[in-house]
Amino acid sequence: VLQCDRSTRDAHRVGPGRPGWKTRRMIHVTVLLLASLGAADDPGGWIRAVNEPEVRSVLEIASRRYEGEPVSEVPTVWLVGVTHIGDAAYYEALSDLLSNVDVVLYESVMPDGARPHQATSERSRRASTRIGLELLSTIASRTDERPSGVEDFAAVANAIDLRMGNWIRAASIDAWGRPVRYEPTDSGLSFTSAGPDGLQGTDDDIVETSEPKDPGSAGPERNLQAALADALGLRYQLESMPYAEANWRVSDLSVGEIQAAFARRGMEFDMLGDMLSGSSIPAQLINMMLGLISIGDSLSGGAVSDGVKMMLVELLGTPGVLDMTDRQFGPGFQDVIIVERNTVPLEDLERIIAEEPDIGSVAILYGAAHMPDMAQRLLEHEHGYREVDVRWDSAIGIELADSPLTERDRKSIRRSIRLALARIKREARLAAEPRSSEAD
């Protein structure tokens, strides 16, 4: 549900509740992190399990195309549901679809400063510009190179993370719409905005300088979704799609905005960030277990990874799983993770309609769990958007004829999932009862 990386892991804090809260939280967060769960009970759902006995078991995700009223001249919109781990062919198919779209608005909880400035007052412009320069400085401190300009810097950063190049392009224009000046220093790079007067070298300049890279620092941590993909012979979304393309725009809340949204609801939230970044103790244990998958496969001819993929297909293809899971995090969780974040790309679409009339098509690339709410709000749009096309792509598939899993194994997996979901549903009901009593 959240596309996080190590830059987000300090953004969340949760406290203990009932006994065993860490174990339960770990279970529910793991369910959340696995694949942007689809939770659509409606006939036009976004995620489904398709089983052909003794042939294939497949998790399919929908993409839907919408058009406005002919007189409105608004861009065509693709809502592209996605799972964060999947087969290589799945991401190739989605990348091919998105190559024909003018602008891609994608999900990614991001560092502050990664989106174009939207400040309106002089004070807010200065603050927003400084945040952007701090982001540039932070990224520069992760590399030994000292590029001379924006595009050189973007190319260097894309080797670390495919999203960073476009973050750099956004942060390299200050809140007054002027380019940021790059200057090499003895230890790194200096980034300067000319400030309100537009003149370099005056008192209102805003300057940030990067620190030299620590030669003993470890490389970037890979989060649990990436680790799980590796263990199962699958691919991780953030490493498999063309985020570096100039027409791909991050369209999500920032870390600070996520923090503030939870704080407004009296919620603290750290475990999801830690779980995704791989920094928590439970995450380390899960990483150890993931490492055992390859050992189990070597002893079983691939039955272990096929069993886990079968679990993903069955679990994520079950309607209502997200609704069971997010209730464990209390009221307001889904409001932030789904509704508030969905507002960002829909507002970006409005800006495109108002300010970029040459854009003929837009895709919103978000986890499948976001799509029921996103679609409903798009259909209620003033320009009369309506669905005109749908396609289903195979995200995770198991060729049963070639798998060492027997029919008995598959039945056992399905039975275990049903029992696990029943327990989660029961826990969700019990967790809601104290809150209902307090409200009364």
Side-chain angles (χ1 to χ4, degrees), residues 28 53 86 102 235 248 250 307 321 371 375 380 389:
H28 299 302
D102 293 337
R235 299 293 298 272
W248 282 52
V250 61
V321 171
M371 289 307 169
E380 295 169 354
D389 193 15

Side-chain angles (χ1 to χ4, degrees), residues 195-208:
D197 66 7
L199 300 175
Q200 295 280 354
T202 58
D203 290 342
D204 66 355
D205 285 3
I206 306 169
V207 183
E208 286 290 332

Side-chain angles (χ1 to χ4, degrees), residues 128-182:
S128 184
T129 296
R130 184 167 295 282
I131 289 171
L133 299 187
E134 289 172 353
L135 175 61
L136 294 175
S137 175
T138 298
I139 296 174
S141 297
R142 295 179 64 181
T143 176
D144 293 319
E145 301 185 44
R146 287 185 286 174
S148 58
V150 177
E151 292 307 317
D152 286 345
F153 192 17
V156 169
N158 281 339
I160 302 172
D161 186 318
L162 290 172
R163 298 168 295 174
M164 282 187 179
N166 284 330
W167 296 355
I168 286 169
R169 293 183 182 97
S172 295
I173 301 295
D174 68 19
W176 294 273
R178 305 183 190 108
V180 169
R181 185 173 69 185
Y182 286 49

Side-chain angles (χ1 to χ4, degrees), residues 432-440:
E433 288 174 359
R435 290 195 291 268
S436 299
S437 300
E438 291 171 7
D440 295 339

Side-chain angles (χ1 to χ4, degrees), residues 241-276:
M241 300 191 73
Y243 289 91
E245 294 291 335
N247 65 323
W248 282 52
R249 305 177 186 177
V250 61
S251 186
D252 205 336
L253 295 178
S254 70
V255 172
E257 290 167 333
I258 289 279
Q259 283 181 299
F262 279 114
R264 287 194 299 271
R265 292 163 174 79
M267 300 173 68
E268 297 179 348
F269 200 70
D270 73 336
M271 184 164 286
L272 188 52
D274 284 344
M275 289 286 288
L276 290 169

Side-chain angles (χ1 to χ4, degrees), residues 327-339:
R327 282 197 290 268
Q328 293 289 324
F329 292 91
F333 175 80
Q334 190 170 19
D335 286 344
V336 176
I337 296 302
I338 300 295
V339 179

Side-chain angles (χ1 to χ4, degrees), residues 359-437:
I359 298 299
S361 57
V362 174
I364 298 177
L365 177 71
Y366 256 70
H370 293 261
M371 289 307 169
D373 173 75
M374 193 91 72
Q376 179 180 346
R377 291 161 73 176
L378 186 64
L379 290 170
E380 295 169 354
H381 197 280
E382 61 179 320
H383 297 296
Y385 275 107
R386 66 196 187 283
E387 183 181 326
V388 295
D389 193 15
V390 61
R391 57 180 268 171
W392 289 88
D393 291 284
S394 172
I396 300 173
I398 307 140
E399 298 295 334
L400 300 179
D402 300 326
S403 174
L405 289 179
T406 65
E407 178 59 23
R408 181 177 179 180
D409 295 331
R410 297 194 290 272
K411 287 181 178 178
S412 177
I413 290 170
R414 293 187 185 104
R415 179 175 179 275
S416 297
I417 288 172
R418 285 195 298 271
L419 291 173
L421 291 178
R423 285 195 296 270
I424 291 175
K425 189 174 182 179
R426 184 168 60 252
E427 283 198 353
R429 185 179 65 253
L430 293 174
E433 288 174 359
R435 290 195 291 268
S436 299
S437 300

